[in-house]
Amino acid sequence: MATASFFNVLGKSSVSQMLAGQKVASFAKGFSLSLALGIFGFFGNVANAEESGVFAGVEVGYAQSVFENKITVSGVGANMAESAKYNGDGVKYGLVVGYKQFFSPYFGLRYYANVSMHHAELKSNAVAKGYEWKNKVNGTMINYGANIDALVNFVANDALDFGAFIGVGVGGATWMGKDLDDHEDYVQSINSQWSLSRTGLDVALNAGLRLTVADKHGFEVVARIPFIKTSLLDESGNGVIKDANGVANNVSAKLINTLSHTYDITARYTFSF
């Protein structure tokens, strides 16, 4: 009887241990499956982060520009050099449209066209009044071109993507306005063959931060730094300049005018299709 009781107890103990082992194995299997599904789900969310596609956007912000006016005159009773620099700023607004291409959730490129307008009010405290120069010049710049940016995401998931970008833009800049029309009249009063060239090459650095929400709505802070001045005029030759009494004097003159868009900072909204 004692021996039977011993084996009964041993059998029950073995069964209990076997059941406990099955529970542990079942728990481990379930935990492993849950962990695997969690990891798969996490990377699935990352894989479903920002996607390639067409986008379009609008932007508005602040821009700064500089106008430089230099003249050198030599002749009977007139030997001098004058220069003035006009600094100012104004609002900028524009449109962008293009395509973004992601090679991974964290890196991509975008290719886009831009067109924008910048209204500038430029002032100088030191102007050559004897040459009838104004102390304020208003102008409007139209900027247009093609751009390519590298996109880097620091955060990438279904809810949002946050990162930075840096790139380059190449295009043109065209300046216009009544004050430039008046300045061209002044230039042609010196030499009728001279005229302003109001369009020039534009090459600029693009950089900023970007946030994309729900893969559709983009919010960016954009800095743009152009590298090239627009040469309005660089001429030398014989001309006529009136003195303070209105008497015309034949002179040898050299006149240099440049306009440069030094930088701009804008807020941009984009929508991805």
Side-chain angles (χ1 to χ4, degrees):
M1 293 292 293
T3 302
S5 297
F6 172 77
F7 282 110
N8 286 337
V9 172
L10 182 61
K12 291 178 180 179
S13 177
S14 298
V15 171
S16 297
Q17 289 178 357
M18 183 175 65
L19 291 174
Q22 289 177 347
K23 289 181 179 180
V24 171
S26 178
F27 173 78
K29 183 178 180 181
F31 178 77
S32 299
L33 180 60
S34 298
L35 181 61
L37 289 173
I39 294 173
F40 178 79
F42 172 77
F43 284 104
N45 282 340
V46 171
N48 290 329
E50 189 171 5
E51 298 179 351
S52 302
V54 176
F55 69 91
V58 295
E59 62 183 344
V60 63
Y62 166 90
Q64 188 175 70
S65 296
V66 176
F67 173 56
E68 294 180 88
N69 195 5
K70 300 178 181 180
I71 188 169
T72 303
V73 176
S74 60
V76 179
N79 291 281
M80 62 183 68
E82 295 284 355
S83 66
K85 179 179 285 189
Y86 298 73
N87 296 283
D89 51 32
V91 66
K92 174 191 173 179
Y93 49 88
L95 303 171
V96 296
V97 61
Y99 181 81
K100 56 183 178 178
Q101 181 180 17
F102 279 89
F103 306 102
S104 78
Y106 298 100
F107 178 75
L109 295 173
R110 66 179 178 187
Y111 326 93
Y112 60 100
N114 75 284
V115 59
S116 64
M117 296 188 72
H118 163 44
H119 302 289
E121 183 178 276
L122 312 175
K123 298 179 181 179
S124 176
N125 294 324
V127 297
K129 294 182 178 178
Y131 290 118
E132 301 176 359
W133 290 357
K134 298 180 179 181
N135 61 6
K136 182 173 71 174
V137 175
N138 290 316
T140 297
M141 181 196 70
I142 301 177
N143 175 245
Y144 39 88
N147 305 262
I148 180 170
D149 294 341
L151 309 176
V152 178
N153 283 333
F154 309 131
V155 178
N157 56 50
D158 273 346
L160 60 86
D161 302 273
F162 173 74
F165 65 89
I166 187 167
V168 64
V170 178
T174 299
W175 291 86
M176 60 186 67
K178 183 180 183 305
D179 287 337
L180 289 177
D181 294 340
D182 292 343
H183 186 68
E184 183 160 38
D185 291 341
Y186 162 74
V187 167
Q188 291 185 341
S189 72
I190 299 174
N191 187 315
S192 61
Q193 302 301 311
W194 294 354
S195 62
L196 301 184
S197 177
R198 305 192 189 200
T199 297
L201 177 66
D202 178 67
V203 179
L205 173 71
N206 304 317
L209 298 173
R210 57 191 299 272
L211 173 69
T212 302
V213 179
D215 199 36
K216 294 293 184 183
H217 306 283
F219 304 91
E220 301 181 5
V221 177
V222 183
R224 193 169 189 277
I225 304 174
F227 299 125
I228 301 175
K229 297 179 180 180
T230 300
S231 178
L232 299 175
L233 181 72
D234 187 348
E235 296 282 3
S236 60
N238 296 324
V240 176
I241 290 182
K242 294 181 180 179
D243 61 20
N245 298 316
V247 177
N249 296 295
N250 293 318
V251 298
S252 176
K254 180 176 179 63
L255 188 59
I256 300 174
N257 298 147
T258 61
L259 258 171
S260 58
H261 175 206
T262 53
Y263 71 89
D264 61 64
I265 299 175
T266 60
R268 179 186 292 165
Y269 168 77
T270 62
F271 181 83
S272 298
F273 297 92

